[in-house]
Every structure is written in C-alpha cells, then in structure tokens.
Amino acid sequence: MDDSQVLTQLTEIIRDVLNNDTLTLTQETVAADVPEWDSFNHINIVVATEVKFGIKFKTAELEQVRNVGEFVALIERKLDQKKG
Amino acid sequence: MLDLYWLPEPVDWKKLLAAPQQGAELWSHLVGTANTRLDFVRTNQLDNLLQRSFPNEPPGLTTRPIRLAILASSTVTHLLSGLRVAALRRGLYVQTYVTGYGQYQQELLDPSSSLHRFAPNVVLFATDTRHLAGQAEGEVDSSGTEKVVSRLADLWKTAKEAFACQVVQQTLLPIFPALLGSNEHRLGSSRAYRVAAMNTLLRKYADLTGVDLLALDASAERHGVDAWHDEGLWLKAKQEIHPAAAPMYGELVARLIAAQMGRSSKCLVLDLDNTLWGGVVGDDGVEGIVLGQGSAMGEAYLEFQRWVVDQSRRGVILAVCSKNDEANALAPFERHPEMVLSRSHIAAFVANWDDKAANVRKIAQRLNIGIDSCVFVDDNPFERNIVRRELPTVAVPELPEDPAFYARSIADAGYFEALSITAEDAERTQQYQANLQRESLQANATDLKGYLASLKMELWVKAFDQVDLKRVVQLINKTNQFNLTTRRYTEEEVAALIDAPDAIGLHFRLTDCLGDNGIISIIIGRRNGKDTKMAIDTWLMSCRVLGRQVENACMNVLAERAKHLGITEIVGEYKATAKNGMVKQHYEKLGFLPLSEDPGVGSVWRLELANYTPSETFITIREG
C-alpha cells in the first residue's frame, strides 16, 4: 500500500470517528486543524486505525507522531513489519 | 475481539444513517439499525444520530425511560454511546449521568449533589480493578479485602435507599499479572489473587443485598482480558475498558436493565431440520437424520438439544416452527432413540408449509406472549430474513455454519438474561401447554411478494453435464418429499442422458442476495424420437426453496425449451408415495388438465403448450 492509499483509508476512518463526511486531510494536517479532533476522539482514531489495519501501535511510537503524514508513514511501517 | 457477531451485518450503512424519517418512525428505524452488527465507531455514529434526534424521550415510547447514573472511579465517557445504543437495541430510551472524576462516593453521600438531582432509576457502580484491589502485595490481608467489599456494599445500600431502584455492580477485570502462577491462591496477598477473592465476595454480598452483578470477569474468561483491557490506554487515558469493547459493555448492562424490566426474551422458537438434527427428516427418514453418538455432527446436535432442554428447565418456553408435514416433523420426537428433546418440552409445535413469519405470529398468539419476546432460531438465511423483515421485534440471531457452535452463539447473544430463578420458572412450559389458546383467525399478513422481490433471486439453468453429475445423482436418490415420481437412477443412467437426442435433463441452481443455494431442482423429460409429445419422467426439488416460486420459474423454462424442440404437449405424472403428498396438486397448480386419476396410486396430467401462459415470478432466469 502506498502513501495515498493509506491516506485515503485513514481519511475514511477519521471521517467516521469524527462524524464528518466532508473532512479532507493532507500529509501536513495536524489535530489542531480539525475542530472535532480532541484527545477523546484521538484515542478513538488510534484504536479504529489499529482495528482497521490489524496492527498495534506502541505507546512510544504514537508520542512521536506530529502530523497526518507521519501517522501515515507509521502505519506503513507497521504494515511492512506485519508482512515481514 | 469482542464483537456482537450474532447480529446481521448492516446493509448500506450511509443510507441507514441518513434516516429521512421523523418521530416514532425514526425511533423504530434507529431501533432496527441498533439491531445490526456494529463496531465501536459505528456505535458512536448511531449514538450521535440518536442524541441529535432525541434529546428527550421519543413520542409514544411504551417503555419507562431509563435514567442511568454511572458511579465511576476512572474514565467511562467512551462507554456511554455503547450503553445508549444497546438500550436502543431493546427499544429502551436512556439518559446517562456520570459522576465527577473520583467523586462518586461524595456525590452519593451528599443529598444536594448533581447525582441526586439527576434522580436515577438505575445505578451502575463502574469501579475499576485498580481502585478496589490495587494496593501493592502485602499491604492488605484477606480481612482487608473483605472490608473493601463491605464498605462498597454500604454504598449500594445508600444508593438503594436514596433512589429505590436497580443497583448494578461491575465485577473486577482480572488485569493483574500473577506472581506465583497456577497456584496464585497460595499467596493470599497478591493482587492477582485479591481480584479473584474480591469477585467471590462481591457475589456473596450482592446476593445478600439484592444487587445485580455485571460479570466482566466471566466475560473476560470467555473472550480474554486483552479484549477488554489495554494497559497502554489505561496509562494514557485511565480507560479500564477498551473503547472497542464499549458495544459489548453496553450490551451486558442493557441486558441487566431489560431483565429487571421484565423485557428479556421468553420463548425460543426452533426450526427442526439442520437445526435440531442434521439432514431433512422428510427426505432422509427418522433413521437417516444425523443425531446422536457415533459422529461428531450427530453429537453436536445432541449437545445443542441438551442446552435447549436446560434452558427449558430454567424457565424458557420452547416452540417448534418447521416447514414439514406434521407427521414427519413429529416422527423423530416419537421414534428416534437419541432425541434429548421430547414433545412434552415443546409448548407450541407448528409444522406446516406456510411462511415462517406467519407461523411465528401464530406461536406467539397461541402462547399468549408478546411477539417481541420470541427468539427465532433457524439455520436457513431465507427464513431468518423473512422473519426479520416481517417481524422486526423478533430476535433472530445469525447461526454459525457449524452446529457445534449453535448453543454458544445463542448464549453469547444473551437474549434470556435473568436475574433470579423462581419455582414458577421451572414449571412454565407446563403452564403454557395447559393454557394453549385457540388459534387466532387473524389473517396472514406477511408481505411475501415484497420479500421475494427483495431477494433478487436468479435461477441458473443447465443441461446435465459431467461437472454436476454427482450432485444430480445424489438429489435424484435422496429427495422424497417434493418428488413427483420418485424414480431413482444410477450415475451411469444419468450420464446416458447427457446429450441424449430423445431426452431433456435440466438442473437448476438458485442464488439470491443471501448466497448460493446450490442445485435445488431437477427435471427430466423424455419423448419418442421426434414425437411432439414429451413426458416428464422426473421432477424434483429441495424443500429448502419451497414457497419461492421456483417450481413456476422451472415450468417457464421447461415450456420454453420444449417449444424450441418442436414439442406441443407435455404430460406430467404424479406417483403417490408415503412421503410426497405435498406435490399431489403440483401439475394442477401449474395449469395442467387431468387425464386420469387412480386414487392412492397417482394421476396423469397434460398441458398444451399453445395454451400455456408463463407464471409471473420474482426470479430471473440465467443460463449456465
């Protein structure tokens, strides 16, 4: 899966969690740009992403993520590890 | 993963959420949507719609609105949507209140607190494991453990006195790692053992004080602690319960509330063939059904019957709803040596060829119970869906394909949640049998046409070939009920019909939006040389697809093919057997005229193809 495919799926997940069908995300988007993306929803986004992709993030990995692009890269890394 | 796997998948989720209705109609739409298999994200989405649509109780609500107060020692806000949607699933409207963080004792003890102003009618103590049993090893002994529970029990008493309502205490999730291992109980002061000891004490105190338990420990035993709890989320957000487990948490709480309101299901309505035993008794005979020792499948059905009988002993009413001739349906109850269920366990026994929605209505009326207290168990997705469509308040669990998991799956669905057992429960089946009411005259109101149209059925016609030969031979030799002539043929005899100039051999496969039913009907026609008359040698069909216009669609195909071969007249024969009474009028129904009849032996019918008007059906014909 490449960047844009992961970003598309992630956007779908975040739209569902935030109940916002028109939300668009770019690699540069940060949580603070999206009004509904508070700490409560942040956990739901992480958990929903784990369930959807069948992966599990480490606590430390999540602390380093600063924007959507880095989250996408992390997801890809986890998917690669799963394959390997 | 914790998953409400007994509920059917939602169809077209975005459309379900768009919900154009209003008022009571919208409420029923939301209840219906809540009765699908929702993960936590969808549960949140549905709850969002629920909250926006009904900030106050919906108009015409027939149940008491629930005011649920959650006395929590850690984060629970992520569980609220699961709670509200699980209540919605049961037609219950819930407003929730959560005590301030770390404030539950103070709010309970202070009569002027916002908890008291909320005036709950259900109180849930959602105390997390670390809060009650978190002190380090060695800090408390067993008397200390009991002190914690008895102090908690004092709070239950305070809640009962203040609000005079149902009080629920959640048991402790076994989240602590062991220090010794299998013999952890020998280190009475370990936290892992303390949790187990405390759960035992909670049961004792709950029974003494009339408090109901939410047994998270039992669920963790069944589904695994990791499905319920994630250390990382505890550290990050003080969530003891994993957000993905919220729908199940809500489900378990809603069952307790519904049970307390007398709204648990009361009656288990059971199909027979391939549900209580393997095979089709009308075709296979009492000796031929799969039931009993000697095969894994036979034992699986036996074990399911045992579970059903146990449910009946503790007060669940049993009913049978089978598409069968009554005599065939009763035969295993009367004659099969390994049946665990007996006729006397069954309060209402309905076996006929009507649609099952009509029969479930009949059962509810006969037993004089609400139709919403029935649970309909059937291995056939066609039957499950017609009941769901026609009777949306009937609980219809999906069934796993393997009968070994039938009991587990219905038990996981928790329809029959009960809070106590009375002597009356155990006698219930007898009472209902004694009180059987006269059959209602209410018309059968099932919208069968609408249902059939919604199935998008396709009938795939194919001339006999090598590929499907084995299945065709099998059907020819085992079908007894829908079989006009009951002629049996060997594989060689059927193979000889492939490409034979003086015969038509057709098999029919039925697919619909629920899946592929496989090859379900066979017709063999024969003629002499280039004669314009064709005789139907064999016409048979699996009873599984009865009542779906398949025979009409097959007739349309046959007429079309025969015309193509220059045939002008078709002759059909009915040869009576002990088992094929259901097709006595088959040719008459298709528009054939009688040629001769020999009572008890059979009849012969003819059809001029020029006079045949194809039947209108909801089935699309496909070649291949």
Side-chain angles (χ1 to χ4, degrees), chain B residues 440-511:
Chain B
S440 159
L441 298 173
Q442 190 184 325
N444 168 357
T446 303
D447 173 23
L448 195 59
K449 278 190 178 164
Y451 180 55
L452 292 178
S454 75
L455 281 175
K456 303 190 172 46
M457 292 183 281
E458 297 187 344
L459 189 66
W460 298 78
V461 192
K462 209 170 168 191
F464 287 179
D465 62 5
Q466 285 295 340
V467 183
D468 297 305
L469 189 61
K470 285 220 162 17
R471 170 67 180 152
V472 168
V473 173
Q474 189 192 37
L475 270 176
I476 287 177
N477 287 293
K478 78 168 221 193
T479 307
N480 290 316
Q481 299 187 92
F482 196 112
N483 194 336
L484 273 298
T485 53
T486 323
R487 291 195 176 101
R488 310 300 197 193
Y489 291 118
T490 65
E491 196 167 322
E492 291 70 26
E493 287 168 324
V494 179
L497 295 172
I498 300 174
D499 299 326
D502 54 353
I504 303 187
L506 298 176
H507 68 66
F508 300 85
R509 190 163 62 88
L510 184 71
T511 61

Side-chain angles (χ1 to χ4, degrees), chain B residues 1-6 173 215-229 245 248-249 251-252 255 408-409 411-414:
Chain B
M1 215 185 92
L2 288 169
D3 179 17
L4 313 183
Y5 68 91
W6 56 90
L173 276 177
L216 293 185
D217 58 338
S219 183
E221 208 169 273
R222 162 89 179 90
H223 303 284
V225 183
D226 292 346
W228 278 102
H229 178 78
M248 183 63 108
Y249 185 89
E251 177 66 21
L252 294 179
R255 286 175 195 173
R408 166 66 47 99
S409 167
D412 279 344

Side-chain angles (χ1 to χ4, degrees), chain A residues 70-84:
Chain A
E70 290 183 14
F71 195 32
V72 167
L74 175 62
I75 293 168
E76 281 174 37
R77 250 192 344 269
K78 302 299 279 190
L79 287 173
D80 281 346
Q81 284 169 13
K82 199 170 89 170
K83 259 188 277 166

